[in-house]
């Protein structure tokens, strides 16, 4: 290359001097081009800047308030918000563990009637957006909800106790977060070497002792990692908390922003929430410990025979009926009842065509943009020696780790100050979506790319392919299924996303999520039925499509059973390393791909 | 001598696959038995039945005179006093070396600590107690697994393909070590292998299995020189089989009249081990191929009537493909049923 450069320079100099030099070689020398690595790094730098600048601006706004701001942050009323958030997070973690661990154990190890059905039905709770779950729970168990209607026919009741507040928020979020614990735990129960438990049996331990001394320690990283995801989700959830009027950070930030338009105070609250989230990540780093229960040796992998549970199957079935009933059947039933009752009310029905078109368009645009950006970033991550690029990509995942409301506010503040032309436009909304969900697409592509041996790239280069040709001819075809799965995942997430849409969408642009939100705010519940059911239906179909696609023989594991199984372990190794960010944040719905093996 | 283990007429079926049928075995205390057979022949199933991880469909298992599986009942693995060394070792990743070894120990803290120490020195891992498993080599992990299985002083130790995860060099060394440790502790043990050299060199008794059946149990010398059937001879060592007509202590075959180990009559199959064929000077037998191993060499021979034979000799004499040699048979040969 240096020789090329010199030759090019001499010729350039000669041309300047007025000499007419005929090209001596077969082709004109060209300027040294950027190699692929540098091009990828530029993409990474730009992406990281776009994601991070608004957040930096938000932090600057918050800290700019100085002592006055600090005093405001330490007011008892502000501290109540903090304690509310912590109480909710801790109780949701406990609830999710109480559901997730038995669920994992029963579906992985026990002779349960209709095991597959319960597994799939249970996983469907993941497609219910938190605001929809909360609205339907409220409609069913609220003071004058459906349960009241039912009971009032036989009992002289005035009203039922109000579930709004902590209990309602706790129930709504617990019902959708327990799979974060159940799925990794189940993967460990299925994937760990059965010989470990057999060894303990042969060393004189009974079943319960084996569980306590071997199984539980093996599960610990999965439970820790899962609990962390639950906690992150709880802290960042906006929908359920807002519907249930529980004054946690996300709701308080939104109220501060909408009611008083006090950006500085909203920024202070957002900063507090960011710090809390970072604290949680640090905590995980301290708690996590390396456990590797996977089998080392050769030989056919074996599974433990399912345990007969005898009479215990009745309480177990009741447990599953409760979870599936509250988490899946109830939202569907309530939405269905609204759909049929709509005629009773004299309100204009929503323009479903328009709503669907808008939702589909913004979701598709955001998903394609994220997919296109994810590929180069995932390729960059293949180069393990490049620390800088790992940092950059990890930093981009902060858009996904941090609560949606915070990210959206940061963008609004930033745009209002520096990009007034973008303020209240669809491009800004799309930018918000990409910021939020790019890491989903990255991790999908990444885990598939990691399966591809570097020898293939070397072979292709040896056969005369340029780097970009290698990408198009080797990586893209081999990772296609996963790249598409990642795009689909972003599509589904955008379709359901409430806080980003609520804050960033231009007036008049309505998606399903914002439509449901405003119908709820105006107490026009009957308008929720159609869009709500459509949202659930598309999400469920999307989930099934992604799972089926990944099940095809030969398809590289996409969004990653392997990744999920290793999540807690890898997170520990790399929390110090920024990749842990990407891994932990991996998704707010991380279990989805792991469900593949379940099907 | 007490009988440590007895299996009577064991049968086990997985769905439609017959894993084990009419399996009988008895093992004296203090002996080391190798279970030899091709993969999928039911070796590992046998171990798992003895350990109590599977229930037999029929038959009985006695350990130290007590029935642990049979029509009358089933003793769970934790109450059998059977130690197991797994193929992949199955060490508990959340415990250190000492924690793994002490896992099955009962009693007070000090007692357990002392027992752990003595086991560590037994397997040559003094000072490794506080190490985590990650830093251990394959051979060290193997020794931890053995110490863990020996710790509760089991009546019987089962080793499932114990050396298969090690490289050749280490394997040879560890075989000798494991054998010495089992001898030193007087432990009764069964190990599963598909490597005949390993079975013959390590075990007191070798049981040969094929397709879920026990073919023969014998000490290594007998198994090699006096297999009961052609199938056993094929599974243990290299063999030449020649059809022959026996009469008393002699048999007539393509090589002429040969002496028999035992009298027989009628049509038989003669078993000639390659090293029993000696090469003399020039002759009618053509050498087709020479495989040179350094300490010995193996020759593919073709007789005038087109019969193929394999011979093995020391490596001093130099042979070439296409060369003609004469052969004689050294010592009496075994007549197997035709």
């Amino acid at each position: 290359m240096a020789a090329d450069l010199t030759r090019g320079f001499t010729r350039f100099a000669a041309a300047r001097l007025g000499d007419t030099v005929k090209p001596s070689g077969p082709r004109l020398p060209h300027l040294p081009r950027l190699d692929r690595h540098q091009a990828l790094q530029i993409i990474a730098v730009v992406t990281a800047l776009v994601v991070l600048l608004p957040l930096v601006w938000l932090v600057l706004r918050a800290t700019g308030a100085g002592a006055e701001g600090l005093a405001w942050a330490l007011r008892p009323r502000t501290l109540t918000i903090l304690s509310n958030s912590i109480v909710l997070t801790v109780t949701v973690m406990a609830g999710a563990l109480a559901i997730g661990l038995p669920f994992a154990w029963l579906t992985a190890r026990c002779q349960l009637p209709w095991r597959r059905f319960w597994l799939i039905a249970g996983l469907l709770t993941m497609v219910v957006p938190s605001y929809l779950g909360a609205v339907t729970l409220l409609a069913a168990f609220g003071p004058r909800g459906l349960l009241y209607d039912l009971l009032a026919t036989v009992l002289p009741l005035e009203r039922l106790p109000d579930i709004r507040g902590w209990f309602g928020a706790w129930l709504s979020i617990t019902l959708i977060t327990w799979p974060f614990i159940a799925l990794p735990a189940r993967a460990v129960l299925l994937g760990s070497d059965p010989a470990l438990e057999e060894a303990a049996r042969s060393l004189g331990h009974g079943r319960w002792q084996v569980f306590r001394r071997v199984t539980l320690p093996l599960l610990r990283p999965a439970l820790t990692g899962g609990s962390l995801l639950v906690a992150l989700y709880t802290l960042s959830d906006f929908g359920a908390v807002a519907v249930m009027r529980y004054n946690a950070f996300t709701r308080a930030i939104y109220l501060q922003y909408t009611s008083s338009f006090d950006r500085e105070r909203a920024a202070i609250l957002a900063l507090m929430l960011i710090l809390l989230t970072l604290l949680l990540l640090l905590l995980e780093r301290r708690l996590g410990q390396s456990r590797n229960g996977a089998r080392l040796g050769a030989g056919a992998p074996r599974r433990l025979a399912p345990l007969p549970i005898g009479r215990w199957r009745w309480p177990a079935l009741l447990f599953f009926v409760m979870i599936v009933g509250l988490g899946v059947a109830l939202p569907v039933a309530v939405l269905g009842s609204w759909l049929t009752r709509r005629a009773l009310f004299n309100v204009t029905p929503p323009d479903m065509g328009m709503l669907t078109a808008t939702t589909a368009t913004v979701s598709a645009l955001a998903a394609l943009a994220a997919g296109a950006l994810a590929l180069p970033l995932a390729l960059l991550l293949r180069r393990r020696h490049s620390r800088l690029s790992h940092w950059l990509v990890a930093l981009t995942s902060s858009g996904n780790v941090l609560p949606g409301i915070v990210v959206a506010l940061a963008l609004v503040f930033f745009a209002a100050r520096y990009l007034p032309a973008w303020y209240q436009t669809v491009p800004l909304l799309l930018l918000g979506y990409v910021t939020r969900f790019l890491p989903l697409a990255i991790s999908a592509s990444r885990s598939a790319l990691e399966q591809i041996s570097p020898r293939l790239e070397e072979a292709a280069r040896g056969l005369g392919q340029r780097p970009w040709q290698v990408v198009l001819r080797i990586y893209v075809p081999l990772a296609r299924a996963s790249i598409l799965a990642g795009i689909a995942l972003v599509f589904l997430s955008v379709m359901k996303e409430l806080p980003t849409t609520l804050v960033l969408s231009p007036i008049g642009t309505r998606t399903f999520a914002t439509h449901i939100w405003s119908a709820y705010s105006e107490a026009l519940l009957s308008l929720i039925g159609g869009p709500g059911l459509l949202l659930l239906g598309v999400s469920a179909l999307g989930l099934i499509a992604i799972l089926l696609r990944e099940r095809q023989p030969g398809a590289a594991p996409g969004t990653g059973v392997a990744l999920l199984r290793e999540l807690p372990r890898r997170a520990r190794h790399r929390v110090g390393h920024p990749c842990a960010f990407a891994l932990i944040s991996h998704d707010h719905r991380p279990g989805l791909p792991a469900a593949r093996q379940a099907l | 001598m007490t009988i440590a283990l007895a299996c009577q007429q064991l049968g086990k079926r997985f769905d439609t696959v017959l894993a084990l049928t009419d399996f009988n075995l008895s093992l004296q205390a203090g002996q080391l038995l190798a279970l030899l057979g091709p993969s999928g022949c039911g070796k590992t199933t046998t171990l798992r039945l003895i350990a109590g991880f599977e229930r037999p469909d029929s038959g009985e298992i006695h350990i130290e005179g007590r029935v642990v599986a049979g029509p009358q009942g089933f003793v769970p693995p934790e109450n059998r006093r059977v130690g197991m060394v797994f193929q992949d070792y199955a060490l508990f990743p959340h415990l250190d070396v000492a924690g793994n070894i002490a896992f099955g120990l009962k009693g007070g803290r000090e007692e357990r600590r002392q027992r752990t120490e003595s086991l560590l020195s037994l397997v040559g891992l003094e000072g490794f107690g506080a190490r985590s498993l990650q830093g251990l080599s394959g051979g060290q992990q193997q020794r931890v697994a053995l110490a863990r299985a020996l710790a509760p002083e089991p009546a019987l130790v089962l080793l499932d393909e114990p050396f298969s995860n090690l490289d050749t060099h280490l394997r040879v060394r560890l075989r000798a070590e494991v054998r010495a440790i089992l001898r030193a502790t007087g432990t009764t043990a069964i190990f599963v292998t598909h490597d005949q050299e390993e079975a013959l060199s390590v075990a007191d008794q070798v049981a040969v299995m094929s397709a879920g059946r026990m073919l023969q149990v014998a000490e290594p010398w007998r198994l090699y020189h006096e297999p009961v059937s052609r199938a056993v001879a094929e599974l243990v060592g290299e063999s030449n089989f020649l059809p022959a007509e026996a009469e008393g202590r002699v048999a007539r075959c393509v090589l002429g009249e040969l002496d028999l180990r035992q009298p027989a009559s009628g049509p038989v199959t003669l078993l000639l081990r390659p090293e029993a064929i000696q090469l003399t000077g020039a002759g009618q037998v053509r050498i087709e191929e020479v495989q040179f191993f350094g300490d010995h060499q193996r020759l593919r021979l073709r007789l005038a009537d087109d019969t193929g034979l394999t011979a093995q000799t020391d490596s001093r004499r130099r042979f070439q493909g296409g060369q003609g040699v004469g052969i004689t048979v050294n010592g009496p040969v075994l007549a197997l049923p035709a």
Side-chain angles (χ1 to χ4, degrees):
Chain A
M1 195 177 79
D4 258 5
L5 203 65
T6 334
R7 219 166 47 216
F9 184 77
T10 7
R11 205 160 291 157
F12 176 69
R16 284 285 301 268
L17 292 171
D19 288 6
T20 50
V21 183
K22 290 263 171 184
S24 57
R27 61 195 171 99
L28 284 167
H30 47 72
L31 286 170
R33 291 180 316 167
L34 291 174
D35 77 2
R36 174 160 66 105
H37 195 182
Q38 282 168 321
L40 293 180
Q41 260 175 346
I42 289 173
I43 296 178
V45 170
V46 171
T47 311
L49 281 179
V50 168
V51 169
L52 287 175
L53 275 182
L55 287 167
V56 171
W57 174 240
L58 182 83
V59 172
L60 288 179
R61 282 294 299 268
T63 49
E68 200 184 321
L70 190 64
W72 186 81
L74 294 176
R75 278 185 328 160
R77 274 186 66 182
T78 320
L79 292 180
T80 314
I81 299 171
L82 178 67
S83 75
N84 281 346
S85 277
I86 292 173
V87 166
L88 186 66
T89 304
V90 171
T91 50
V92 167
M93 269 163 68
L97 270 172
I99 297 177
L101 187 55
F103 185 94
W105 176 263
L106 287 166
T107 55
R109 288 287 177 82
C110 298
Q111 276 179 5
L112 187 78
W114 313 308
R115 189 153 75 144
R116 271 164 77 90
F117 169 78
W118 292 122
L119 184 62
I120 295 165
L123 294 183
L124 281 178
T125 54
M126 293 197 305
V127 308
V128 181
S130 71
Y131 51 90
L132 210 51
V135 168
T136 51
L137 273 178
L138 197 55
F141 303 119
R144 295 213 176 229
L146 299 175
L147 182 68
Y148 168 81
D149 291 346
L150 212 65
L151 290 179
T153 55
V154 286
L155 295 170
L157 279 173
E158 188 63 24
R159 49 173 47 237
L160 291 176
D162 198 344
I163 65 163
R164 276 177 298 191
W166 167 80
F167 180 76
W170 173 80
L171 186 63
S172 321
I173 300 178
T174 303
L175 279 175
I176 50 179
T177 51
W178 62 264
F180 300 167
I181 287 170
L183 283 170
R186 187 170 181 274
V188 170
L189 288 174
L190 289 177
S192 65
D193 186 353
L196 288 173
E197 296 183 20
E198 288 170 355
R201 291 296 296 277
S202 73
L203 292 166
H205 286 56
R207 277 187 204 291
W208 167 242
Q209 269 182 306
V210 172
F211 182 78
R212 197 173 52 81
R213 291 194 62 190
V214 176
T215 317
L216 212 51
L218 286 176
L219 278 172
R220 217 189 76 168
L223 298 182
T224 316
S227 305
L228 177 89
L229 285 173
V230 170
L232 280 174
Y233 184 95
T234 312
L235 274 186
S236 63
D237 179 70
F238 170 74
V241 164
V243 168
M244 291 296 179
R245 304 203 180 155
Y246 183 69
N247 218 22
F249 269 118
T250 48
R251 177 170 187 258
I253 292 168
Y254 184 69
L255 287 182
Q256 198 66 244
Y257 166 69
T258 48
S259 59
S260 57
F261 277 91
D262 187 335
R263 293 189 169 163
E264 204 153 78
R265 290 187 176 169
I268 292 172
L269 288 177
L271 179 61
M272 291 172 77
L273 183 52
I274 290 174
L275 292 177
L276 199 57
T277 308
L278 292 179
L279 196 71
L280 212 58
L281 290 172
L282 287 177
L283 196 69
E284 202 281 337
R285 180 186 179 182
R286 304 212 57 158
L287 292 181
Q289 261 190 36
S290 172
R291 299 288 150 76
N292 184 2
R295 29 190 309 122
L296 301 164
R302 211 161 31 76
R303 281 194 181 172
L304 287 170
L307 199 67
I309 54 173
R311 280 177 287 118
W312 286 98
R313 77 175 170 273
W314 300 115
L317 283 179
L318 185 67
F319 169 77
F320 283 101
V321 168
M322 291 272 293
I323 293 171
V324 173
L326 284 175
V328 184
L330 181 104
V332 173
V334 171
L335 290 172
S337 80
W338 283 336
L339 198 61
T340 54
R341 267 202 312 190
R342 201 176 68 193
L344 297 177
F345 289 83
N346 190 18
V347 280
T348 339
D351 181 351
M352 283 298 283
M354 188 63 194
L355 260 184
T356 313
T358 310
T359 311
T361 310
V362 293
S363 305
L365 288 175
L368 289 176
L373 206 51
L375 185 64
L377 295 179
L379 281 170
L380 190 63
L381 282 178
R382 269 176 72 78
R383 298 173 182 267
R384 298 195 173 280
H385 57 266
S386 168
R387 288 191 75 93
L388 174 69
S389 45
H390 280 245
W391 266 100
L392 289 171
V393 177
L395 285 174
T396 63
S397 69
S398 53
N400 192 244
V401 172
L402 297 176
I405 190 88
V406 170
V407 174
L409 275 193
L411 259 179
V412 162
F413 293 172
F414 187 76
R417 176 81 171 75
Y418 294 105
L419 301 166
W422 285 54
Y423 189 64
Q424 287 271 329
T425 60
V426 172
L428 190 69
L429 177 65
L430 294 180
L431 188 60
Y433 288 144
V434 172
T435 305
R436 287 278 290 136
F437 300 120
L438 178 62
L440 304 192
I442 293 178
S443 67
S445 304
R446 181 188 178 183
S447 53
L449 290 178
E450 280 184 355
Q451 308 284 319
I452 301 171
S453 158
R455 299 294 91 73
L456 290 184
E457 168 164 4
E458 288 161 10
R461 294 295 295 276
L463 294 168
Q465 302 291 304
R466 288 162 187 276
W468 62 268
Q469 287 175 311
V470 175
V471 171
L472 288 185
R473 296 188 59 186
I474 306 286
Y475 290 127
V476 170
L478 284 175
R480 196 187 58 198
S482 304
I483 294 171
L484 289 178
I487 291 176
L489 207 57
V490 175
F491 182 92
L492 294 177
S493 308
V494 170
M495 189 181 72
K496 293 187 292 191
E497 171 70 4
L498 179 62
T500 310
T501 321
L502 203 55
V503 174
L504 289 178
S505 63
I507 294 161
T509 305
R510 275 195 173 191
T511 68
F512 286 148
T514 41
H515 167 79
I516 292 170
W517 172 258
S518 57
Y520 162 76
S521 313
E522 293 155 27
L524 299 171
L525 295 181
S526 58
L527 297 185
I528 296 176
L533 278 178
L534 202 58
L535 199 61
L536 289 188
V538 174
S539 297
L541 284 179
L543 178 87
I544 289 163
I546 292 175
L547 295 180
L548 288 183
R549 175 149 198 101
E550 289 198 353
R551 258 184 90 203
Q552 284 172 359
T559 1
V561 177
L563 182 71
L564 187 82
R565 188 176 292 166
E566 287 191 19
L567 180 77
R569 192 153 61 90
R570 295 229 296 219
R572 190 205 67 90
H573 284 315
R574 301 208 191 139
V575 166
H577 198 270
C579 272
F581 257 109
L583 285 168
I584 291 165
S585 67
H586 163 239
D587 178 18
H588 285 156
R589 307 262 179 220
L592 194 138
R596 175 179 68 148
Q597 71 187 133
L599 283 173
Chain B
M1 279 290 229
T2 52
I3 300 294
L5 170 77
C7 300
Q8 291 163 3
Q9 315 237 290
L10 281 185
K12 178 71 184 173
R13 175 186 282 281
F14 293 109
D15 297 326
T16 56
V17 185
L18 203 59
L20 210 60
T21 143
D22 195 20
F23 182 90
N24 295 295
L25 178 67
S26 109
L27 185 61
Q28 286 179 337
Q31 282 206 312
L32 178 53
L33 176 109
L35 217 48
L36 175 69
S39 51
C41 73
K43 294 169 302 196
T44 298
T45 302
T46 309
L47 281 203
R48 297 177 57 76
L49 285 169
I50 297 170
F53 302 137
E54 309 278 356
R55 287 167 189 256
D57 298 330
S58 57
E60 287 187 5
I61 301 172
H62 303 245
I63 293 174
E64 293 191 320
R66 184 170 68 126
V67 182
V68 295
Q72 302 96 313
F74 179 81
V75 177
E78 62 267 29
N79 298 331
R80 287 196 178 193
R81 298 193 55 230
V82 172
M84 181 107 178
V85 176
F86 291 84
Q87 186 175 10
D88 50 11
Y89 315 140
L91 297 176
F92 302 122
H94 57 293
L95 300 175
D96 60 12
V97 170
N100 266 282
I101 295 176
F103 191 88
L105 290 178
K106 307 259 189 301
R109 175 188 288 262
E110 184 56 22
E111 197 183 329
R112 278 181 300 171
R113 196 191 60 77
Q114 278 178 4
R115 177 87 181 125
T116 307
E117 286 298 318
S118 71
L119 280 157
L120 278 170
S121 70
L122 178 71
V123 298
L125 288 174
E126 294 98 335
F128 276 69
R131 294 263 196 115
S132 81
L133 300 175
Q134 270 85 18
L136 297 189
S137 70
Q140 289 168 331
Q141 292 190 19
Q142 161 82 273
R143 282 183 265 180
V144 174
L146 181 62
R148 182 179 71 179
L150 289 173
E153 301 187 320
L156 181 65
V157 171
L158 308 174
L159 302 99
D160 188 4
E161 303 256 1
F163 309 109
S164 65
N165 281 336
L166 306 171
D167 61 55
T168 328
H169 193 67
L170 193 59
R171 195 182 306 171
V172 174
R173 216 182 71 207
L174 235 93
R175 272 183 209 160
E177 267 183 45
V178 167
R179 180 179 148 119
I181 290 168
L182 292 173
R183 283 257 184 287
T185 50
T187 308
T188 317
I190 300 180
F191 75 98
V192 155
T193 180
H194 57 260
D195 179 341
Q196 39 167 309
E197 182 191 314
E198 188 169 294
L200 295 175
S201 64
V202 176
D204 302 315
Q205 296 276 314
V206 178
V208 181
M209 289 184 70
S210 175
R213 286 172 194 279
M214 169 74 82
L215 301 181
Q216 185 177 5
V217 192
E219 55 177 297
W221 188 92
R222 225 181 127 86
L223 194 70
Y224 186 79
H225 290 294
E226 296 175 3
V228 293
S229 64
R230 184 170 170 153
V232 174
E234 275 175 340
L235 286 169
V236 182
E238 291 276 319
S239 314
N240 295 298
F241 298 106
L242 288 178
E245 194 68 30
E247 205 181 318
R249 284 215 164 255
V250 245
R252 175 166 280 287
C253 68
V254 66
L255 297 177
E257 282 200 351
L258 300 178
D259 290 339
L260 292 180
R261 281 177 189 277
Q262 288 132 358
S265 68
V268 291
T269 299
L270 297 182
L271 167 64
L272 272 79
R273 294 296 188 184
E275 65 275 13
I277 299 174
Q278 276 203 324
L279 288 96
T280 57
Q284 293 303 304
V285 180
R286 202 163 52 84
I287 296 177
E288 287 199 319
E289 197 194 333
V290 183
Q291 283 183 308
F292 190 76
F293 292 92
D295 57 344
H296 68 276
Q297 53 189 334
R298 197 165 283 174
L299 310 170
R300 288 284 314 150
L301 305 175
R302 184 70 56 189
L303 304 187
D305 73 337
D306 213 34
T307 308
L309 284 179
T310 305
Q312 184 176 316
T313 72
D314 64 51
S315 65
R316 276 168 302 180
R317 198 169 145 194
R318 189 163 188 164
F319 293 104
Q320 268 165 356
Q323 192 180 342
V325 290
I327 55 173
T328 59
V329 175
N330 208 5
V333 297
L334 186 73
L336 295 167

